[in-house]
Amino acid sequence: MTAPAPGNVHPIGRASAPSLAPIMGLVADGMNQVNAVILDRMQSRIPLIPELAGHLIAGGGKRLRPMLTLACADLVGYAGSRHYKLAAAVEFIHTATLLHDDVVDGSGLRRGRKTANIIWGNSASVLVGDFLFSRSFELMVEAESLKVLKILANASAVIAEGEVNQLTAQRRIDTSEEQYLDIIGAKTAALFSAACRISAVVADRGEAEEQALDTYGRNLGIAFQLIDDAIDYESDGATMGKDAGDDFRDGKVTLPVILAYARGSEADRTFWKAAIAGHKIGEDDLAHATQLLRSTGAIADTMARARHYGQRAIDALGMFASGRAKAALTEAVEFAIARAY
């Protein structure tokens, strides 16, 4: 897709702090419908399934991805109801991947609460994740659109590929920036882009609008993940819903680490090799790592890259008419970036 004309570029930044209030207000009625679908389809004759699924689904997440589906539907003027089930399918895919991720990562905390794998065990978490994936595909089929099914099924496969790619890169300090962007483009941005694009599909809009929403979602997803990478070293459990330095302790080579390693001295590189290999994971080691990230400009440049992708997301909305939906989607990007400040 060609870049929008300069007159359509909307710089990130506003006088007041950006928030999700505009998009939440825009889709409030629709999210009631989506939540009803989620509550209904997470039920099972096996009590453990809704109990475990409900622990994560009701765990305080903002449900940004289904909100994007509804907001994009509003943006393209869709007046039907098929997007409610699709938004629920998107949330089920996201929830399933979180359940699986927490098992793979051995995580103990998400959104300030104990993870499902800590409470019910790894086996139950994986199997309930599989159940939610299955429910999501039932909802996709009910939308009666082969194109939507193809988009969401492909996104699910790409997410799994991204997770495997990240697993192979774990504790590998030689991971390149290009490989890392490929990982987060798959594991995070793929579902953002699909959640947005399917709204144009059910609204029977043209390929140009589909691609614009795909571009918006993809760039927002990358920006969102890059900010998460940065604030993992700058935030705390109350803010992030996980402990600061979880990525460091797990040996995850995120963009800040890649940049700091490339720019560091020989002594710095020796430290990073030991840390990512799991030999230096104490609080003093985390403090030293954070100091290196700051002194090399790695955190600041990660945020700058996030702003770049956020701007690309906003620019992708240039072809759409101004209005409440476009303003809300724009501010959602600004909010994602502002979390780091």
Side-chain angles (χ1 to χ4, degrees):
M1 183 178 175
T2 57
N8 290 329
V9 174
H10 304 276
I12 292 177
R14 59 179 63 240
S16 58
S19 76
L20 290 180
I23 195 171
M24 293 174 71
L26 177 73
V27 304
D29 290 342
M31 283 302 296
N32 287 335
Q33 299 286 337
V34 174
N35 290 334
V37 174
I38 290 172
L39 181 62
D40 177 59
R41 296 307 179 92
M42 63 183 268
Q43 300 306 313
S44 167
R45 63 186 179 84
I46 310 300
L48 177 60
I49 292 177
E51 183 181 3
L52 191 153
H55 172 77
L56 184 53
I57 289 173
K62 297 179 178 65
R63 298 194 180 168
L64 178 58
R65 293 154 189 82
M67 285 199 294
L68 290 172
T69 299
L70 299 189
C72 287
D74 189 292
L75 182 71
V76 297
Y78 179 61
S81 59
R82 289 189 292 168
H83 59 321
Y84 298 140
K85 287 184 177 180
L86 292 176
V90 166
E91 184 65 8
F92 278 154
I93 292 171
H94 176 56
T95 304
T97 61
L98 293 183
L99 287 170
H100 290 167
D101 286 352
D102 287 342
V103 170
V104 171
D105 295 340
S107 300
L109 187 69
R110 181 174 290 279
R111 298 168 187 160
R113 309 171 74 198
K114 286 185 178 180
T115 53
N117 51 295
I118 294 297
I119 299 173
W120 290 279
N122 289 343
S123 297
S125 291
V126 169
L127 293 173
V128 172
D130 293 344
F131 172 84
L132 294 179
F133 264 126
S134 300
R135 282 289 196 238
S136 73
F137 279 91
E138 288 179 349
L139 291 165
M140 293 178 213
V141 171
E142 290 171 22
E144 299 180 340
S145 169
L146 284 176
K147 191 168 188 178
V148 164
L149 181 59
K150 181 178 180 179
I151 290 169
L152 288 175
N154 178 71
S156 299
V158 169
I159 292 166
E161 287 179 335
E163 294 293 352
V164 174
N165 195 8
Q166 184 178 56
L167 186 64
T168 61
Q170 191 167 4
R171 301 199 182 282
R172 289 189 57 181
I173 194 61
D174 60 344
T175 302
S176 68
E177 182 174 346
E178 290 73 21
Q179 182 184 3
Y180 184 67
L181 289 174
D182 183 57
I183 289 170
I184 65 173
K187 69 180 289 288
T188 302
L191 189 56
F192 273 84
S193 62
C196 296
R197 182 172 188 169
I198 57 177
S199 296
V201 176
V202 296
D204 294 320
R205 304 302 287 257
E207 182 69 18
E209 294 190 22
E210 278 187 43
Q211 288 296 331
L213 293 184
D214 182 284
T215 299
Y216 168 83
R218 187 172 307 279
N219 284 285
L220 171 57
I222 294 173
F224 191 93
Q225 184 61 57
L226 290 177
I227 291 296
D228 269 7
D229 293 346
I231 60 182
D232 183 73
Y233 288 92
E234 296 280 11
S235 189
D236 54 33
T239 304
M240 281 284 290
K242 63 177 185 177
D243 293 329
D246 275 357
D247 290 347
F248 176 77
R249 284 182 283 269
D250 291 341
K252 290 184 179 179
V253 183
T254 57
L255 185 59
V257 174
I258 292 170
L259 296 178
Y261 179 74
R263 298 169 179 177
S265 66
E266 193 60 39
D268 295 342
R269 290 188 174 208
T270 298
F271 167 81
W272 283 117
K273 288 176 182 178
I276 295 303
H279 303 314
K280 287 183 175 291
I281 57 173
E283 289 304 309
D284 289 344
D285 299 316
L286 174 59
H288 183 57
T290 302
Q291 184 272 325
L292 292 178
L293 292 170
R294 291 171 179 163
S295 65
T296 58
I299 292 179
D301 285 351
T302 297
M303 293 180 183
R305 282 165 170 75
R307 288 194 297 272
H308 165 74
Y309 285 103
Q311 188 64 64
R312 290 176 64 176
I314 293 172
D315 291 347
L317 300 177
M319 68 181 299
F320 298 102
S322 297
R324 188 182 176 194
K326 183 174 178 178
L329 287 164
T330 298
E331 189 161 350
V333 178
E334 296 171 344
F335 171 81
I337 304 298
R339 294 178 304 141
Y341 295 93

